[in-house]
């Protein structure tokens, strides 16, 4: 699942951490306890890559300034 959070109020205050945690909690509640890994980045491709970094049940945040060190 991909969701563009750009227009979400205050999402940039913490790099998306609160939004990511809220998504994970909503999935857990809606599914009766299933976990998910979330990647919050500047674009869809990076988000998909980052959602794989900290499995299972991870939350990976990646800002533009971190891309060279963490991806390349």
């Amino acid at each position: 699942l991909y969701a563009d959070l750009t227009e979400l109020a205050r999402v940039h205050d913490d790099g998306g951490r609160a939004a990511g945690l809220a998504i994970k909690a909503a999935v857990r509640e809606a599914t009766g306890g299933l976990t998910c890994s979330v990647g919050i980045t500047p674009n869809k491709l990076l988000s998909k890559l980052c959602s794989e970094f900290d499995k299972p049940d991870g939350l990976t945040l990646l800002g533009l300034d971190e891309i060279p060190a963490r991806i390349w």
Side-chain angles (χ1 to χ4, degrees):
L1 171 67
Y2 172 77
D4 185 343
L5 305 178
T6 306
E7 301 299 322
L8 187 62
R10 303 179 56 112
V11 73
H12 302 286
D13 291 354
D14 64 355
R17 180 172 302 283
L21 292 172
I23 291 167
K24 290 170 59 59
V27 167
R28 190 173 298 113
E29 183 177 325
T31 62
L34 294 178
T35 62
C36 65
S37 293
V38 174
I40 298 184
T41 73
N43 67 49
K44 184 177 181 177
L45 174 62
L46 291 173
S47 293
K48 176 61 179 158
L49 289 172
C50 286
S51 71
E52 298 289 328
F53 283 0
D54 193 18
K55 286 196 175 275
D57 198 26
L59 173 60
T60 302
L61 307 174
L62 180 73
L64 284 172
D65 58 329
E66 299 172 289
I67 293 171
R70 294 189 67 194
I71 301 296
W72 308 130

